[in-house]
Amino acid sequence: MKTIGQLAELVTGSVVTGNPDTEITGIEHDSRKVGKGTLFVCIPGVHVDGHKFIPQAVAAGAQAILTTRSDIEVPEGIAVLQVPELQPALDTIVPFFHDYPARTMRVIGITGTNGKTTTSYITRAILREAGYKVGLIGTIQIMIEDEVLPIHNTTPDVVELQHTLAMMRDKGMDYVVMEVSSHALDQNRVAGIEFDTAVFTNLTQDHLDYHKTLENYKLAKAKLFDHVSEPGTKQGKTAVVNIDDAASETMLAHAKCAHLTYAIDKEADLRATDILVHANGAEFTLNHASFGKMPLKLHITGIFNVYNVMSAVGAALAEHIEPQHIKTALTAFTSVPGRFELVKAGQDFSIIVDYAHTPDGVENVLKTARKIAKKRIIAVFGCGGDRDRTKRPIMGRLAAELADVVIATSDNPRTEDPDFILSQVEAGVKEAIGTKHHEKITDRRQAIFRAVELAEKDDIVVILGKGHENYQILKDKTIHFDDKEVARDAVAAKKGEH
């Protein structure tokens, strides 16, 4: 238990009004989560000002308020901690309040444009095979061993993240494997976390709506390697880096710790050779000084997954996991929800659902589909609204080049007009489509039904962009929408036609 006075001592220029010995049981910025003894954080948002919810927070049991303002009114007996700047104060206060949970567990951070989720799941599988208890913080969900919690951002804000880490510590986790987004690094949501191993997968165009330039995006990713290089309470810090990617030089330059490199094309500490990718999986040999050669037969396919496997193995080697545990876990690993996931509904053609929503992701998935395709590839995809617009025509052009049939549709349009988004995608499609079949169907359900309707024996329908997501974000609401469910419905409808 901490007091308001103890928290105030950490922040230069802070002022306590009320009793400095007021004890705090938790920290929340959502008044709906407040309980007895909570410190309620007033965040002045763009749409909603947290100060408006002080009465609700106090009614729910809040004992103190954290604010940057000096003019707020609170009921008698409620302490106020006023700080000069909110975010730096939270970055300092929240990890301290929870007794720095990341210091008591090994923390593996994974960053990169593509591959973070699959790498995190494979890493988790290896660590669990080696007998460790593992927490996972990722795009799809938070997991504490097999307990699943929902997640709203790839990397939660410092209040949610430290609370989650404290839960993991209290439940006896040995390791935390977490995806670390460029937004989280840029906004310092990972404040107070001592990383032990940092993994870089790759860097391709994404999030330029936020970062503005690829250079800014790259430097945001590099901050993870600054973090892992900081002196801490734990020993054995390592940067695991894909040196086939041009941005690797920047990551390694920021990593003032041990380096473990991996690659297919270049000489590296960990290398994959003799690669054979086929419809049902991949076979290759891993090469590393600690174990020599490790031949593998995996249930996941695609060159991109060979890289993901090396990312995870690199992290495992950095953490001194025995080779036999690595091989056993890899051999048993099957899939990650929404990542090159096969939808089987008794049809005589293939349906693959994938989260790919960047030019590089679309290219990787369609090239992998091409390697296993007996006949045509029918691609269904769109681009999200309120996000990087420059990638839309690029993704359209790639789909037109790599698929045989292109159906452009809506993704998560958010506040943008879906037809306007599609017009930007279409510009790229028209550049490269030639005489191939091409349709534009704004309604995503109709687009998936149309793709399934067009599919013939041994074709592959590839549905891109949403993967594991079971919702669609529209202008005025969020609706339930699951590409896999819709694909199954479409197959059932098609069977009913005959």
Side-chain angles (χ1 to χ4, degrees), residues 343-351 491 495:
V343 177
K344 295 177 181 176
Q347 76 277 16
D348 59 1
F349 53 91
S350 300
I351 300 174
V491 171
K495 286 180 177 176

Side-chain angles (χ1 to χ4, degrees), residues 91-331:
D91 293 347
T92 303
I93 286 171
V94 180
F96 168 78
F97 174 80
H98 289 291
D99 296 317
Y100 301 101
R103 293 180 182 175
T104 62
M105 303 174 284
R106 299 289 291 179
V107 182
I108 298 172
I110 301 163
T111 199
T113 307
N114 298 311
K116 294 188 295 296
T117 299
T118 301
T119 296
S120 67
Y121 273 72
I122 298 172
T123 304
R124 170 181 178 269
I126 294 170
L127 293 170
R128 294 186 81 194
E129 177 61 35
Y132 293 107
K133 290 186 173 183
V134 185
L136 178 86
I137 300 172
T139 305
I140 301 174
Q141 59 200 8
I142 291 170
M143 299 180 79
I144 304 178
E145 282 285 83
D146 291 318
E147 182 187 352
V148 176
L149 308 172
I151 192 161
H152 305 294
N153 294 311
T154 301
T155 314
D157 65 56
V158 67
V159 172
E160 286 186 54
L161 185 52
Q162 291 293 330
H163 176 67
T164 300
L165 290 169
M167 283 173 57
M168 290 179 172
R169 173 198 59 204
D170 296 346
K171 292 192 175 186
M173 296 306 105
D174 303 300
Y175 274 92
V176 176
V177 180
M178 62 183 291
E179 296 180 47
V180 187
S181 69
S182 58
H183 290 68
L185 289 161
D186 192 60
Q187 296 165 11
N188 203 29
R189 292 186 219 154
V190 295
I193 296 179
E194 185 182 333
F195 289 96
D196 299 286
T197 294
V199 180
F200 170 68
T201 60
N202 50 60
L203 188 93
T204 60
Q205 183 177 333
D206 200 14
H207 302 306
L208 296 194
D209 54 308
Y210 177 87
H211 296 288
K212 306 307 179 194
T213 69
L214 203 57
E215 183 67 17
N216 289 345
Y217 180 39
K218 178 171 69 176
L219 291 174
K221 295 285 189 194
K223 287 181 181 179
L224 180 60
F225 297 90
D226 295 330
H227 284 301
V228 79
S229 306
E230 291 164 358
T233 60
K234 296 175 282 183
Q235 300 299 311
K237 313 287 180 165
T238 310
V240 178
V241 176
N242 169 16
I243 58 169
D244 279 345
D245 191 286
S248 61
E249 289 180 19
T250 300
M251 307 305 151
L252 291 170
H254 281 254
K256 312 297 183 193
C257 59
H259 295 172
L260 192 158
T261 60
Y262 68 91
I264 292 173
D265 300 328
K266 293 184 178 176
E267 287 292 332
D269 300 321
L270 178 66
R271 198 166 181 192
T273 56
D274 311 316
I275 300 166
L276 175 63
V277 170
H278 49 80
N280 300 313
E283 297 173 36
F284 56 95
T285 301
L286 279 181
N287 303 268
H288 187 265
S290 67
F291 55 71
K293 293 182 179 295
M294 182 187 290
L296 292 168
K297 285 188 175 183
L298 304 187
H299 299 292
I300 53 176
T301 190
I303 288 292
F304 58 91
N305 272 326
V306 177
Y307 279 104
N308 292 336
V309 165
M310 285 194 289
S311 300
V313 172
L317 291 172
E319 293 297 327
H320 307 291
I321 304 300
E322 293 293 329
Q324 70 265 25
H325 297 313
I326 294 172
K327 183 164 185 174
T328 300
L330 292 177
T331 305

